[in-house]
Amino acid sequence: FINTPTLAPRQQHELERKFRANVYDRFMVILKIFHERARTKEAKLQVELAEIPYLKSRLSEENWIYTSSTSRMRGTGETPLSVKRRVLAERESKLNQQLQQIKDDRKVTRVKRKKKALPVVAVVGYTNAGKTTLIKQLTKEESLEPKDQLFATLDSTVHAGKLPCTMKVLFLDTIGFISDLPHELVQSFSATLEDVLLADALIHVRDVSHPLTDVQKRDVIKVLRGLNPPPSLLENMIEVHNKIDLVNSTDDSSDGDESSRSESDLLARQDKGEGIPVSATEGSGVDVLWDRIQETVLQATGNKHVVFAVPADGPHLSWLHQNATVTTVESTNENTLQISAVISMTNFA
């Protein structure tokens, strides 16, 4: 493995001849991982589309390696190089058409969500930061199977949960980011990343146990800004400092005072609004996170959570059912109902 974005065919050929082994650059390593992780038709299409520009760029230098490429194909007048270029162009066009259909299908799905007034919270972060584990902790969805590996998630998957006020919300699990993520991969996964831009709120999950956690944060922010999201989405993004249990356990093994300082530092950052310390595996800090999610979602959707005390025999309950999302109704006495509801700022006024 050569840690460079891409190797020229000539460089790769010479290195393989010298080392007598296959040589891979950064792009090909990431692409191989993507190929192995792709499970759905959409993911496989996107990975294949990302590979085509890379293959195209290498065709122009093949002549010096394969001298036979200058020969003509019988009956066609095309060289082998021309044939390869044409085949790649045709395949690229077909893949783009298939992915455009997927984009159109996603638009239909989004319209259905809007009709049901279901807020969407997109969960983003560096690869293997614990996004899926956090979503499982929030939604209690047993079918989710988080994996401790790079790019375990290549598809955007949606999982239902409930805010503390019992309002339904959808969590969007997304592809993990990485430093110097190849532009071709960002482009080909645009159908997937498009859902992030249209979310009502963003959660950025960080692995604070990783020695390069601050560098990873910068990489994630760089990719997000490259997608041109609405300014308010980034400004109100919730930062989660995940794997706090690993920070403490690592420090405990060396020096108890360091553990205290590390934990105090993370809590101090939370007080400054810089992040919420969480252990997605153990569940610590999740209650605080839920409160922040509810606050952010309600603000983004123009709603607020209100508890009303209304006469039991009046029209108030009926009106709230028609104009708000009633979450609970309790009878405090024979004449009064206590109603918890999520209501738009307009209707509340």
Side-chain angles (χ1 to χ4, degrees), residues 4 13 24 59 61 70 75-76 85 101 105 124 141 187 191 209 211 222 255 287 295 299 311 331-332:
T4 188
H13 178 76
Y24 301 99
L59 287 179
E61 293 193 29
T70 57
T76 65
R85 285 174 175 164
Q101 182 60 52
D105 293 340
V124 302
E141 187 174 323
Q187 286 295 101
S209 72
K222 180 180 178 181
D255 189 331
D287 289 343
E295 177 187 347
Q299 179 182 349
S331 179
T332 56

Side-chain angles (χ1 to χ4, degrees), residues 151-320:
F151 303 111
T153 301
L154 289 186
D155 301 283
S156 287
T157 55
V158 180
H159 311 275
K162 285 187 178 181
L163 299 176
C165 65
T166 74
M167 180 182 182
K168 289 183 179 180
V169 64
L170 299 178
F171 289 96
L172 184 69
D173 197 1
T174 63
I175 180 176
F177 298 157
I178 196 170
S179 61
D180 299 322
L181 188 67
H183 177 71
E184 292 86 352
L185 288 173
V186 176
Q187 286 295 101
S188 64
F189 278 81
S190 61
T192 299
L193 296 172
E194 205 172 67
D195 284 328
V196 174
L197 305 181
L198 299 173
D200 296 291
L202 276 182
I203 295 178
H204 174 198
V205 181
R206 294 178 57 189
D207 175 4
V208 292
S209 72
H210 197 285
L212 298 177
T213 181
D214 291 330
V215 175
Q216 291 180 350
K217 175 182 177 178
R218 289 196 294 270
D219 289 333
V220 171
I221 298 301
K222 180 180 178 181
V223 173
L224 286 175
R225 285 178 175 163
L227 298 174
N228 297 317
S232 60
L233 199 59
L234 280 183
E235 291 169 5
N236 298 310
M237 183 168 63
I238 302 169
E239 186 173 298
V240 173
H241 291 174
N242 190 30
K243 303 191 182 183
I244 186 176
D245 52 310
L246 298 183
V247 171
N248 291 336
S249 63
T250 300
D251 292 335
D252 285 341
S253 64
S254 56
D255 189 331
D257 291 336
E258 286 186 12
S259 171
S260 176
R261 286 198 298 271
S262 296
E263 187 172 2
S264 297
D265 177 59
L266 290 170
L267 291 172
R269 291 186 182 186
Q270 176 185 334
D271 292 338
K272 295 177 183 178
E274 295 180 9
I276 302 173
V278 165
S279 169
T281 55
E282 297 179 354
S284 61
V286 171
D287 289 343
V288 176
L289 175 59
W290 263 125
D291 290 338
R292 181 72 67 80
I293 294 172
Q294 176 168 290
E295 177 187 347
T296 304
V297 167
L298 292 181
Q299 179 182 349
T301 56
N303 290 306
K304 67 182 302 182
H305 179 227
V306 184
V307 177
F308 299 94
V310 302
D313 57 354
H316 308 81
L317 179 57
S318 176
W319 186 90
L320 284 170

